[in-house]
Amino acid sequence: GQSLEQPSEVTAVEGAIVQINCTYQTSGFYGLSWYQQHDGGAPTFLSYNALDGLEETGRFSSFLSRSDSYGYLLLQELQMKDSASYFCAVKGSGYSTLTFGKGTMLLVSP
Amino acid sequence: DTAVSQTPKYLVTQMGNDKSIKCEQNLGHDTMYWYKQDSKKFLKIMFSYNNKELIINETVPNRFSPKSPDKAHLNLHINSLELGDSAVYFCASSRRDTSGLYTDTQYFGPGTRLTVL
């Protein structure tokens, strides 16, 4: 089976930097994804790490350490529109399945 | 030019009824999914189809029956609806990738909010 742990809620102010951690326990592991979901909306893809290290996409970066079964999403220069839920998800073996964490609600205040 | 579309967006119905949700993707993907998101926002996969073939069938009551008439469509039929079925149901699609080295991004539809009274 697969299980993922991430904080339930994180708060920050505009302009700040926030890191959302994700630890996982899986029977098969191909990669770690991050998805963003605004209230009432659909999850949308942010990033994917299959190899150790940092991937940067604009204000968002994602990190993976396979040996530690750990990853994080780093959001810089926070904006109000970044207030959303963020899900880490593990890609298991075989077909393109994803197991999602329970999500971290990020609240950005002025 | 919607990538993944679902109908209806909202569905309110009585316990015991049968209902269907339709999903279509125009991305040319070969794999489609149904997810259930409960009130605590937990996203759980229900089914996955690859090239019209059922690949994943998680522990879902057999009142739920998916049907894929072709690669671009995946419908979900629910019999004898129960209160606990109230949730948001998301359809998603992706390009199958077993190497793990590519993004394997899943594209989600807008969701169908099902309320069972």
Side-chain angles (χ1 to χ4, degrees), chain A residues 30 33 35 37-43 45 48 50-51 85 87 91 94-98 100-102, chain B residues 33 35 37 41-43 55-56 90 94-106 108-110:
Chain A
Y30 277 8
S33 300
Y35 284 76
Q37 184 181 26
H38 285 99
D39 212 27
F45 172 81
Y48 175 72
L51 304 174
S85 291
F87 295 86
K91 181 175 187 285
Y95 296 96
S96 307
T97 61
L98 285 179
F100 283 83
K102 293 188 176 179
Chain B
Y33 314 81
Y35 286 89
Q37 187 171 46
K41 295 209 154 188
F42 183 45
L43 258 175
I55 300 301
I56 293 166
F90 286 101
S94 74
R95 181 176 52 82
R96 187 184 125 188
D97 167 37
T98 56
S99 75
L101 293 180
Y102 300 96
T103 63
D104 195 36
T105 306
Q106 291 197 9
F108 284 78

Side-chain angles (χ1 to χ4, degrees), chain B residues 11-114:
Chain B
L11 192 48
V12 181
T13 188
Q14 300 284 336
M15 255 191 338
N17 284 350
D18 304 338
K19 290 292 177 187
S20 291
I21 307 171
K22 296 189 174 185
C23 177
E24 177 181 359
Q25 55 96 2
N26 62 6
L27 297 167
H29 290 161
D30 56 5
T31 307
M32 296 184 73
Y33 314 81
W34 278 111
Y35 286 89
K36 179 181 180 181
Q37 187 171 46
D38 61 24
S39 56
K40 294 183 180 174
K41 295 209 154 188
F42 183 45
L43 258 175
K44 185 169 166 49
I45 188 161
M46 301 172 69
F47 303 102
S48 172
Y49 269 74
N50 178 261
N51 285 321
K52 302 194 298 175
E53 185 184 338
L54 180 64
I55 300 301
I56 293 166
N57 183 352
E58 292 293 321
T59 311
V60 176
N62 57 15
R63 298 182 294 105
F64 291 78
S65 50
K67 274 203 174 66
S68 181
D70 54 58
K71 279 199 317 183
H73 295 85
L74 180 62
N75 304 323
L76 183 66
H77 187 76
I78 316 170
N79 288 327
S80 304
L81 278 156
E82 300 178 357
L83 293 176
D85 299 331
S86 294
V88 181
Y89 292 84
F90 286 101
C91 174
S93 73
S94 74
R95 181 176 52 82
R96 187 184 125 188
D97 167 37
T98 56
S99 75
L101 293 180
Y102 300 96
T103 63
D104 195 36
T105 306
Q106 291 197 9
Y107 293 82
F108 284 78
T112 296
R113 182 174 293 277
L114 171 65

Side-chain angles (χ1 to χ4, degrees), chain A residues 2-75:
Chain A
Q2 292 158 321
S3 69
L4 298 93
E5 292 288 332
Q6 52 181 129
S8 58
E9 189 174 304
V10 172
T11 57
V13 296
E14 266 188 307
I17 299 173
V18 75
Q19 178 174 311
I20 300 174
N21 298 322
C22 175
T23 57
Y24 57 87
Q25 286 185 316
T26 61
S27 53
F29 178 82
Y30 277 8
L32 184 71
S33 300
W34 289 92
Y35 284 76
Q36 178 192 59
Q37 184 181 26
H38 285 99
D39 212 27
T44 55
F45 172 81
L46 288 178
S47 67
Y48 175 72
N49 295 65
L51 304 174
D52 286 358
L54 192 68
E55 296 274 346
E56 297 183 62
T57 311
R59 296 187 296 114
F60 295 0
S61 305
S62 57
F63 172 83
L64 175 64
S65 167
R66 294 174 72 117
S67 59
D68 294 324
S69 298
Y70 163 76
Y72 65 73
L73 180 69
L74 189 74
L75 300 90

